[in-house]
């Protein structure tokens, strides 16, 4: 690893327009000694991006610092987007828009029957932050995209300056937030005198694209194993490569990527996105009871289940530290009380 490359990456990211949203940066890298002992495997270190600070924190806060700078530069007065009812992205977007004085309209898709009946967890927080929330009748993602596009056109026709985040020409801004996180990890590992070669994370696109971009540019040996919250989307490998290449071009970095550069596992999804699994909830309870640390049922719980499975199967060297990136999301636990309590 090259100090010159670290300085180059740091300078290139620092040159990007940014609005300050995170309360903590860099986020800590901490040992999970009790969990490591409980699993009988390698030393586990956790990168605490649940502590970024905005609205219970999470990985989206880093991303929104760049995306909302772009929105401001384009004169946005209203942002329109959407995801699932318990979306961590929409929770943090709602808090960020409240802080910046930008109107937010959210069109959310239900994942479970209770999603249209109960306002809890992230859904509660979005409304508390003042977002205009519409819960759609149908949970189909394609219909949701159509509804968002229609709302954007309606607002533009009324003369509003509308910004739709994560479009093709700007989605790499989210990834570059995690190229910066990769730089933090490299420096923190050096400070801790550890040399991990594996990082586990719940991710399906920008978070993993950015981490792989950062580690590759820095010549780090750390390989990223992502765990997708969605199943059956082989296009995600090509999309991560596209995003990473777009981000590298934006920063002027001499690296390029192909779909085969990304290791992303969808075998821990279970019945579907937003539906808890037995293994995922076991991981949530295990981490809570060994470390006093919260994970969530949709993302980090399933990714931790993957890490636990690899440790128990002997797939990781017991003498070599392994990293886990906590992307946040535990505010959704309150909407999954039934699954949490099924001990």
């Amino acid at each position: 690893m090259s100090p010159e490359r670290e300085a180059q990456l740091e300078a290139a990211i620092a040159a990007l327009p940014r609005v300050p949203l995170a309360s903590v940066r860099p986020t800590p890298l901490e040992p999970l000694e009790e969990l490591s002992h409980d699993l009988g495997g390698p030393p586990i270190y956790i990168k605490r991006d649940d502590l970024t600070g905005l609205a219970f924190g999470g990985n989206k806060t880093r991303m929104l610092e760049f995306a909302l700078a772009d929105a401001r530069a384009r004169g946005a007065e209203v942002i329109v987007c959407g995801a699932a009812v318990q979306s961590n992205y929409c929770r943090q977007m709602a808090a960020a828009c409240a802080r910046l004085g930008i109107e937010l309209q959210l069109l959310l898709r239900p994942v479970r029957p209770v999603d249209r009946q109960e306002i809890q967890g992230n859904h509660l927080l979005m409304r508390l932050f003042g977002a205009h929330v519409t819960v759609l009748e149908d949970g189909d993602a394609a219909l949701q995209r159509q509804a968002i596009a229609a709302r954007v056109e309606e607002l533009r026709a009324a003369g509003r300056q509308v910004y739709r985040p994560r479009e093709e020409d700007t989605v790499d801004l989210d990834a570059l937030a995690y190229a910066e996180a990769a730089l933090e990890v490299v420096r923190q590992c050096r400070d801790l005198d550890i040399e991990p070669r594996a990082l586990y994370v719940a991710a399906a696109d920008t978070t993993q694209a950015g981490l792989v971009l950062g580690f590759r540019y820095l010549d780090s040996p750390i390989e990223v194993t992502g765990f997708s919250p969605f199943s059956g989307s082989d296009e995600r490998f090509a999309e991560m490569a596209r995003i990473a290449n777009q981000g590298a071009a934006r920063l002027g970095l001499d690296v390029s990527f192909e779909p085969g550069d990304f290791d992303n596992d969808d075998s821990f999804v279970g019945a579907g996105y937003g539906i808890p699994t037995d293994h995922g909830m076991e991981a949530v309870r295990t981490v809570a009871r060994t470390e006093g640390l919260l994970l969530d049922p949709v993302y980090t719980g399933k990714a931790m289940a993957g890490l636990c499975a690899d440790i128990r199967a002997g797939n990781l060297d017991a003498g070599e530290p392994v990293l886990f990136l906590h992307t946040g999301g535990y505010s959704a636990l309150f909407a999954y009380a039934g699954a949490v309590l099924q001990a």
Side-chain angles (χ1 to χ4, degrees):
M1 290 179 279
S2 161
E4 290 78 15
R5 290 215 154 203
E6 290 182 25
Q8 288 164 1
L9 180 58
E10 184 174 42
I13 292 172
L16 296 173
R18 185 177 204 156
V19 293
L21 296 172
S23 302
V24 179
R25 193 189 314 108
T27 55
L29 182 65
E30 303 173 342
L32 296 180
E33 294 177 357
E34 294 301 321
L35 179 63
S36 303
H37 177 73
D38 184 77
L39 294 172
I44 302 169
Y45 287 77
I46 188 165
K47 175 67 168 167
R48 297 292 305 275
D49 269 20
D50 59 312
L51 298 181
T52 51
L54 181 73
F56 285 100
N59 63 326
K60 310 305 182 186
T61 296
R62 288 183 185 267
M63 300 174 178
L64 292 174
E65 292 192 329
F66 298 113
L68 292 182
D70 183 65
R72 272 185 160 179
R74 299 186 190 210
E77 57 179 328
V78 56
I79 290 174
V80 180
C81 60
V85 163
Q86 288 300 326
S87 165
N88 296 308
Y89 178 84
C90 292
R91 163 179 49 88
Q92 289 163 88
M93 176 67 86
C97 286
R99 182 178 295 183
L100 299 176
I102 301 174
E103 180 183 329
L104 175 63
Q105 298 201 16
L106 295 172
L107 285 77
L108 307 176
R109 70 178 187 278
V111 173
R112 306 166 298 156
V114 71
D115 286 340
R116 289 195 50 77
Q117 305 156 11
E118 179 181 87
I119 298 177
Q120 182 53 280
N122 288 332
H123 185 187
L124 173 65
L125 295 175
M126 296 170 207
R127 292 179 182 271
L128 178 61
F129 293 130
H132 301 274
V133 176
T134 301
V135 180
L136 302 171
E137 293 289 336
D138 196 294
D140 183 79
L143 293 176
Q144 180 186 37
R145 288 191 292 271
Q146 293 173 17
I148 291 171
R151 179 69 61 85
V152 168
E153 290 309 310
E154 174 189 336
L155 290 167
R156 286 176 176 162
R160 306 292 302 280
Q161 192 69 27
V162 183
Y163 185 84
R164 187 173 176 181
R166 296 175 67 87
E167 295 287 82
E168 283 201 358
D169 65 331
T170 59
V171 69
D172 64 296
L173 291 172
D174 289 0
L176 295 180
Y178 272 85
E180 181 177 53
L183 175 60
E184 290 179 13
V185 168
V186 165
R187 289 173 168 172
Q188 288 170 321
C189 288
R190 184 165 59 236
D191 290 343
L192 291 168
D193 196 25
I194 58 174
E195 297 182 357
R197 291 189 296 172
L199 181 148
Y200 285 62
V201 61
D205 45 42
T206 51
T207 300
Q208 185 166 358
L211 288 167
V212 172
L213 167 58
F215 290 137
R216 170 77 64 83
Y217 185 73
L218 296 171
D219 295 322
S220 168
I222 298 173
E223 298 287 340
V224 180
T225 299
F227 289 88
S228 176
F230 306 96
S231 59
S233 177
D234 289 342
E235 296 174 358
R236 67 190 186 279
F237 298 99
E239 181 65 2
M240 283 188 281
R242 183 188 72 78
I243 292 169
N245 283 325
Q246 185 172 310
R250 186 186 295 270
L251 295 184
L253 306 180
D254 57 345
V255 287
S256 62
F257 301 88
E258 298 179 355
D261 293 324
F262 298 88
D263 178 7
N264 191 272
D265 186 345
D266 65 357
S267 66
F268 286 82
V269 173
Y273 174 82
I275 308 300
T277 65
D278 290 344
H279 289 144
M281 293 313 302
E282 177 196 11
V284 169
R285 286 188 285 270
T286 297
V287 172
R289 293 169 185 176
T290 58
E291 296 287 349
L293 181 67
L294 297 175
L295 303 178
D296 81 285
V298 180
Y299 296 94
T300 54
K302 293 180 180 180
M304 181 60 79
L307 173 56
C308 292
D310 274 355
I311 291 173
R312 289 166 177 154
N315 295 335
L316 295 170
D317 185 337
E320 185 173 279
V322 60
L323 308 180
F324 183 86
L325 175 60
H326 193 331
T327 51
Y330 40 68
S331 49
L333 281 169
F334 299 101
Y336 288 86
V340 171
L341 295 175
Q342 288 176 8

